[in-house]
Amino acid sequence: MTTELRRLRNYIDGEFQDAADGRTTEVVNPVTGEAYATAPLSGAADVDAAMAAAEAAFPAWRDVVPAERQKLLLKIADAFEERAEELIAAESENTGKPLGLTRTEEIPPMVDQIRFFAGAARMLEGRSAGEYMEGLTSFIRREPIGVCAQVAPWNYPMMMGVWKFAPALAAGNTVVLKPSDTTPASTVLMAEIIGGVLADLGHPKGVFNVVCGDRDTGRRMVEHPVPAMVSITGSVRAGMQVAESASKDVKRVHLELGGKAPVVVFEDTDMAKAVEDISTAGFFNAGQDCTAATRVLVHESIHDEFVAALAKAAAEIKTGAPDDEDVLYGPLNNANQLAQVSGFIDRLPAHAKVETGGQRVGDKGYFYAPTVVSGLKQDDEIIQNEVFGPVITVQSFTDEEQAINYANGVEYALASSVWTKDHARAMRLSKALEFGCVWINTHIPLVAEMPHGGFKKSGYGKDLSAYGFDDYTRVKHVMTSLDG
């Protein structure tokens, strides 16, 4: 007997809709490897409709006073809390994430981040007005940009959706958000919640829209003439394509494109704490995190001891089904990602050593064992490229200079960490490391008040913080004559 698949739908101008041409794509539960839903495979007509709705809603939403935008976001945050269990269930079914960790590690930060941007809506700061030329007064207007086309990734569908829509709406923009084709379920549920709050407060229906689809759908959004800004979290390749496409009509672009975070461990560190924290930060969410602690650099004097301890800790970490309270992480997101992670291990050079793991777990779903690889060189593929899986690599360094060279010697520049009891050394490294974030004796915590974003091929623009809010505004100079 065939089980009927759940039907997910686009959310455009306050209504749930199928793709105009009826096309769909299957949504797979990565725990089982089996489809459980269908989602629209949106085409040009659907993107046109969503952009038209957002464009029509923009003038009224732009003119809503900041206090009312704050009220909307606060009510959205409250609604997310009230319907947290539904969001957790949707996210877990779509990604395979552990239910308990999704409840404690994702819902509270998401709600907090929405509330932060609710406050930011009322903090449109600019330089004070003044006379910088005799007889003339200048002042600054900080305004919303317009319609924002936003593309979220599959590793954190809910949270990355929040990072995109919350600052955009707070600043007075309207939104067309596209989730990944493998993880639309929680985003569609968020649309239902946000749409309900918009309706309750009497705001235009087209302020927030969700369009499901594949890469072609995303490409149509980026190329569409309506959006004034495009924001994407994804691969370097995708970001480069977006930047190239957006340049043709000079759209503003916001890119967060991945990382290869160095974790620099010196000989004076508290090894037990470092091993425990690094293993958690490396394997959390199956290593599917742009900031994951997956590239460890260890001083040669403690290298062997550290590798042994890290391998032991990794071997004790459990992956499994979402309802198992003992698991740290669930499956990889999709079959392609399983193949990618497996491929990195299969192609390891002869000088590399798999200390633990290195294989798929089970014959159903996309589970992969926590893996530690040592004996690597700086130019090895697995050091230079993002694995995006539960794989931690370990290299040895001789001194501070070599540690810095190794750490900076990749094309990514999103996040990093330094582990030492030497304050002066930590300060030197925090200056020398070319990454958007440097943690000291910790790795992976984020707060709404501080910016998240990288350099080099990790992209540009900031998420979270007042800097992230500013990215969704434009600055206008107004000058007036004092003589009438």
Side-chain angles (χ1 to χ4, degrees):
M1 184 175 66
T2 302
T3 302
E4 185 175 351
L5 301 181
R6 187 187 319 161
R7 184 175 66 168
L8 304 174
R9 307 174 80 187
N10 291 332
Y11 188 77
I12 299 174
D13 204 19
E15 302 291 338
F16 283 103
Q17 310 175 16
D18 295 322
D21 60 8
R23 292 192 304 157
T24 63
T25 184
E26 289 188 340
V27 184
V28 172
N29 184 330
V31 172
T32 64
E34 298 175 353
Y36 73 93
T38 63
L41 186 55
S42 299
D46 307 296
V47 173
D48 286 346
M51 294 299 174
E55 185 178 35
F58 174 65
W61 181 243
R62 174 196 59 202
D63 294 340
V64 168
V65 296
E68 288 301 310
R69 296 203 293 268
Q70 179 189 48
K71 183 178 179 181
L72 172 84
L73 286 164
L74 290 175
K75 285 188 174 293
I76 290 172
D78 291 345
F80 276 24
E81 277 189 327
E82 291 166 6
R83 299 183 64 176
E85 291 306 313
E86 294 175 68
L87 288 166
I88 292 164
E91 183 83 344
S92 182
E93 188 171 29
N94 217 169
T95 64
K97 293 179 183 181
L99 292 167
L101 287 174
T102 305
R103 184 176 294 109
T104 60
E105 303 300 320
E106 295 202 35
I107 295 294
M110 286 165 48
V111 170
D112 180 66
Q113 289 152 9
I114 296 170
R115 288 175 177 152
F116 171 83
F117 285 114
R122 301 180 73 167
M123 290 294 290
L124 287 164
E125 296 181 341
R127 293 176 180 170
S128 62
E131 289 68 52
Y132 302 97
M133 183 177 290
E134 186 175 348
L136 297 163
T137 296
S138 290
F139 64 93
I140 297 296
R141 290 181 58 89
R142 188 171 285 276
E143 302 174 337
I145 297 168
V147 176
C148 296
Q150 302 180 319
V151 180
W154 47 253
N155 58 332
Y156 291 100
M158 287 195 305
M159 189 175 290
M160 295 301 98
V162 166
W163 286 18
K164 296 195 180 300
F165 80 72
L169 296 184
N173 303 286
T174 55
V175 166
V176 178
L177 174 64
K178 190 192 89 67
S180 168
D181 56 337
T182 67
T183 56
S186 54
T187 307
V188 171
L189 178 56
M190 288 198 300
E192 177 188 324
I193 296 171
I194 295 169
V197 176
L198 282 166
D200 289 345
L201 295 179
H203 293 303
K205 296 178 180 179
V207 167
F208 181 80
N209 307 271
V210 169
V211 175
C212 301
D214 60 7
R215 291 178 181 175
D216 286 339
T217 310
R219 178 179 52 77
R220 289 187 174 96
M221 288 175 58
V222 174
E223 293 176 351
H224 201 279
V226 164
M229 178 175 177
V230 175
S231 172
I232 178 175
T233 300
S235 68
V236 172
R237 183 181 65 177
M240 293 171 69
Q241 292 171 346
V242 165
E244 181 180 5
S245 177
S247 70
K248 295 175 182 176
D249 51 4
V250 202
K251 289 184 176 73
R252 187 180 294 197
V253 180
H254 184 281
L255 303 174
E256 201 272 83
L257 305 179
K260 193 69 180 173
V263 181
V264 186
V265 182
F266 286 93
E267 66 276 13
D268 63 342
T269 192
D270 180 336
M271 185 178 296
K273 181 180 185 301
V275 167
E276 179 182 1
D277 291 356
I278 291 167
S279 60
T280 299
F283 294 124
F284 187 83
N285 199 33
Q288 297 171 127
D289 191 314
C290 301
T291 63
T294 56
R295 183 166 64 102
V296 179
L297 309 172
V298 184
H299 190 269
E300 61 182 4
S301 65
I302 62 168
H303 174 270
D304 293 350
E305 183 183 358
F306 187 92
V307 168
L310 183 62
K312 182 177 183 295
E316 294 171 355
I317 287 174
K318 185 177 178 182
T319 179
D323 58 354
D324 187 338
E325 296 182 358
D326 294 329
V327 305
L328 176 65
Y329 68 88
L332 295 168
N333 182 258
N334 53 74
N336 288 340
Q337 191 60 22
L338 175 61
Q340 174 169 308
V341 173
S342 299
F344 272 102
I345 301 302
D346 293 343
R347 294 189 300 273
L348 283 173
H351 55 261
K353 179 183 178 183
V354 177
E355 300 284 348
T356 187
Q359 74 280 334
R360 181 179 181 178
V361 176
D363 57 3
K364 183 174 70 172
Y366 311 128
F367 296 93
Y368 201 86
T371 301
V372 175
V373 183
S374 65
L376 293 159
K377 299 178 181 179
Q378 183 66 14
D379 58 356
D380 287 336
E381 177 197 29
I382 201 169
I383 295 298
Q384 292 296 318
N385 296 318
E386 188 174 31
V387 178
F388 222 57
V391 178
I392 296 178
T393 63
V394 186
Q395 296 168 264
S396 174
F397 67 84
T398 58
D399 55 27
E400 194 172 304
E401 181 180 5
Q402 188 178 56
I404 292 168
N405 289 337
Y406 280 178
N408 290 337
V410 295
E411 293 183 329
Y412 300 91
L414 183 59
S416 59
S417 63
V418 180
W419 299 75
T420 181
K421 295 177 183 177
D422 185 330
H423 177 75
R425 173 188 281 159
M427 292 299 96
R428 291 194 298 272
L429 268 288
S430 68
K431 177 183 177 181
L433 290 173
E434 298 174 355
F435 295 83
C437 174
V438 180
W439 287 291
I440 299 174
N441 294 325
T442 187
H443 194 108
I444 227 166
L446 296 169
V447 292
E449 294 85 354
M450 291 293 113
H452 174 79
F455 314 137
K456 294 165 39 176
K457 287 192 176 179
S458 286
Y460 44 81
K462 298 297 183 183
D463 289 309
L464 304 177
S465 79
Y467 298 98
F469 178 66
D470 286 349
D471 279 354
Y472 285 93
T473 68
R474 66 185 187 185
V475 173
K476 179 186 290 182
H477 168 221
V478 179
M479 181 181 278
T480 181
S481 171
L482 296 180
D483 64 9

